[in-house]
Amino acid sequence: MLIRNIAIIAHVDHGKTTLVDSMFRHSGAVMNHQRIEERAMDTGDIERERGITILAKCTSIMWNKVKINIVDTPGHADFGGEVERILSMVDGAVLLVDSAEGPLPQTKFVTSKALELGLEPIVIINKIDRSDARPLEVLDEVFDLFDALGANEKQLDFPILYAVGRDGWAIKDLEEKPDNLSPLFNEIIHHVKPPSGDIKKDFSMLVTTLESDPYLGRVLTGRINTGTVKTNMMVKVLDNQGTKIENARVSKLLSFKGLERKPISEASAGDIVAIAGLETATVSHTICHFDVMTPIDSRPIDPPTLAMTFSVNDSPLSGLDGTKVTSRQIGERLFREAESNIAIKITQSTDQDSFEVAGRGELQLSVLIETMRREGYELSVSMPRVLYKETESGKKKEPIENVVIDLDEQFCGIVVESMSKRKADLLELKPSGGSRMKAIFSAPSRGLIGYHSKFLTETRGTGIIHRVFSGYSEYKGIIETRRNGVLISNTDGVSVAYALYNLLDRGEQFIGTGEKVYRGMIIGEHTRDNDLEVNPLKSKQLTNIRAAGKDDAIKLPPARIMTLEQSLSYIQPDELVEVTPKNIRIRKKFLDPNIRKRTAKKNDAA
């Protein structure tokens, strides 16, 4: 069978998954009368809600008797561990770029990985029907990007298509009349090399992704490197050093067809398949014939740059919402996540009650927390902190990110001022069309923790910020964090409107009336820089004397409801976010005020 393996690369929200929907329709993988969900490849609830691809997924379509295996890759650098593994499975890439926004930081991130592997991308300028489209300028920007990333002559001589993925058409020239996606399919077949691999050699395959199926158990996906695999065939598993991990039988062999996985009896070198029946094998291991002694090389993954501490929820309200609350259950879930997501590193603490979870960024870790709370877990999470490196001379180095901001011209001043306070260096400031500006910064990762919500306030919700890890640099000094203190409940119970009304002049509130609170829980932000203990349960003292008029009805302003991401970016080192299936609360690490005072004195003395 003739095969082509491609990955679709794009920045978040540039139309990658929507284009795959149209490819399904046009190739016949999904019939016109069939109803499919919009963004069919985004299968997870969180992916659909946020409109982002988190996990890489495989599919395939047939075109002119050629099987095209397509991998939909994540567009966000926080999920870069997925990207790096996936690109090792394919022989070509389709780079999708928005006709107005052009190449953005995470386009650069994924494209650099593709070019390093020697892939020769096909470039699609998408959404050319936008009113602010500038396809020719964007094409120049793509060429400049390739050149800056060190592309060779073949990679720079890339095919170009102009498309509207939502409407299902692509053209080679802007003067052509749009019809369908045939130009894209033909370009893939002619431009992408057929997969290499000797079918006559013994079977070997590098595991690229791992998932759990309720019926099949562990399902391992990868591209067959050499030879042929058959159902019920006995195989062995080698780790990166060539040590045998297990012997197993291939109980099920699955091939991708449209939106489904179909059982097949055998598959050969070059094809992308899923294998069930192995108990220990995981990502980056080699599944092979018993005569194979050398594992397939797997690409090193960029190290984590951010860490949080996940611990048992020990608040007075623990166990009311969730069904999985023990450290054993939390630990098992985290290690299971690390097994399939090799960009995450888990370290258990000496007291066995907490775990350090290190990953690529706030988004990756917040998605993990959100997934766990939906599965019924309760946990407490610490403030995100960056992971430093030390040079041989003992100097501290910290992770640095490239930040690209697109905003209205009137907000440039306040954003540049905010970024400079966070030790960011302004690299470039230029017009991006329509009274908007594009600002490019180099900023330390720790300075960007929690900045997104403030950025939206500063730009009245009109600004767009993109960031991507670029490397390590010398420590840039102390960065000023949250200036205001917090309002802390000094008692347990249910909040009362009368008490909250009398606390309005103390600061902004995070809770409304009738909500459960406990001692040490943070219920608002103080107007000053110190923490203040307050009583949100205080009721009006009643007497048998009544005034002539009725008491004025108490009207409270809407509380500031903190999302998970906002809570994680808001807290300080002595605070935690309590996460349950139904609630997200902010609290002090030590609920007893006396312990908090003693700890603060020790820290000051140190």
Side-chain angles (χ1 to χ4, degrees), residues 271-572:
D271 205 357
I272 295 174
V273 295
I275 291 177
L278 291 88
E279 294 182 0
T280 312
T282 186
V283 171
S284 78
H285 284 172
T286 300
I287 305 173
C288 57
H289 188 273
F290 282 92
D291 292 339
V292 176
M293 297 299 166
T294 308
I296 302 168
D297 288 337
S298 57
R299 288 189 63 78
I301 302 298
D302 284 349
T305 58
L306 203 69
M308 296 180 188
T309 300
F310 288 37
S311 55
V312 173
N313 179 21
D314 59 358
S315 87
L317 300 180
S318 65
L320 297 181
D321 298 344
T323 54
K324 299 163 186 173
V325 297
T326 65
S327 60
R328 179 185 59 81
Q329 290 170 316
I330 294 169
E332 285 175 358
R333 176 65 180 83
L334 289 174
F335 284 113
R336 196 163 68 242
E337 180 71 23
E339 203 174 59
S340 58
N341 187 348
I342 57 175
I344 282 181
K345 299 284 183 284
I346 312 292
T347 310
Q348 189 164 7
S349 66
T350 51
D351 63 5
Q352 307 292 309
D353 277 345
S354 61
F355 304 84
E356 183 178 272
V357 183
R360 287 286 187 85
E362 288 172 272
L363 178 62
Q364 183 191 32
L365 296 177
S366 68
V367 165
L368 171 59
I369 297 166
E370 180 63 30
T371 304
M372 288 179 68
R373 73 184 285 247
R374 292 184 184 202
E375 293 171 358
Y377 288 88
E378 284 194 17
L379 59 152
S380 295
V381 187
S382 74
M383 173 186 174
R385 62 189 183 282
V386 299
L387 299 173
Y388 298 102
K389 278 185 174 181
E390 271 200 18
T391 61
E392 291 179 0
S393 58
K395 286 187 177 180
K396 190 158 64 172
K397 298 185 84 173
E398 64 176 324
I400 301 292
E401 301 190 27
N402 279 339
V403 185
V404 177
I405 295 176
D406 190 79
L407 72 171
D408 288 336
E409 196 172 344
Q410 60 181 323
F411 303 125
C412 263
I414 189 170
V415 169
V416 170
E417 184 184 350
S418 277
M419 290 294 285
S420 65
K421 286 179 181 176
R422 294 165 185 270
K423 305 291 184 184
D425 298 322
L426 179 63
L427 304 179
E428 193 176 349
L429 184 64
K430 60 183 181 182
S432 61
S435 76
R436 287 182 74 83
M437 301 290 286
K438 181 182 277 188
I440 302 174
F441 295 90
S442 174
S445 297
R446 62 193 169 97
L448 297 171
I449 294 173
Y451 179 58
H452 189 260
S453 56
K454 187 179 181 189
F455 169 77
L456 291 176
T457 304
E458 290 174 344
T459 60
R460 306 291 190 272
T462 61
I464 302 169
I465 183 168
H466 302 290
R467 44 191 276 202
V468 64
F469 171 72
S470 65
Y472 282 83
S473 179
E474 285 189 12
Y475 182 69
K476 291 183 176 286
I478 296 170
I479 296 175
E480 191 177 86
T481 55
R482 190 183 78 207
R483 291 183 178 182
N484 292 56
V486 290
L487 301 177
I488 308 166
S489 173
N490 63 8
T491 185
D492 301 353
V494 177
S495 60
V496 176
Y498 177 77
L500 295 179
Y501 181 78
N502 286 321
L503 293 174
L504 286 177
D505 60 343
R506 297 292 189 181
E508 190 176 16
Q509 295 171 3
F510 299 159
I511 62 167
T513 184
E515 291 190 31
K516 291 179 181 177
V517 296
Y518 53 83
R519 187 171 73 155
M521 177 175 159
I522 294 170
I523 64 165
E525 182 177 286
H526 194 196
T527 51
R528 300 186 180 182
D529 60 2
N530 63 304
D531 293 345
L532 182 68
E533 290 195 39
V534 296
N535 182 1
L537 275 63
K538 188 177 180 181
S539 299
K540 185 176 182 180
Q541 296 300 313
L542 299 179
T543 68
N544 60 354
I545 301 171
R546 291 290 177 270
K550 289 183 178 178
D551 289 339
D552 293 331
I554 292 175
K555 292 182 181 178
L556 292 172
R560 176 176 160 192
I561 306 300
M562 302 280 272
T563 64
L564 176 60
E565 280 85 358
Q566 288 170 340
S567 300
L568 290 172
S569 61
Y570 183 81
I571 59 174
Q572 294 294 292

Side-chain angles (χ1 to χ4, degrees), residues 105-116:
Q106 282 142 41
T107 314
K108 178 181 176 181
F109 168 78
V110 187
T111 305
S112 68
K113 299 292 181 185
L115 295 177
E116 282 173 24

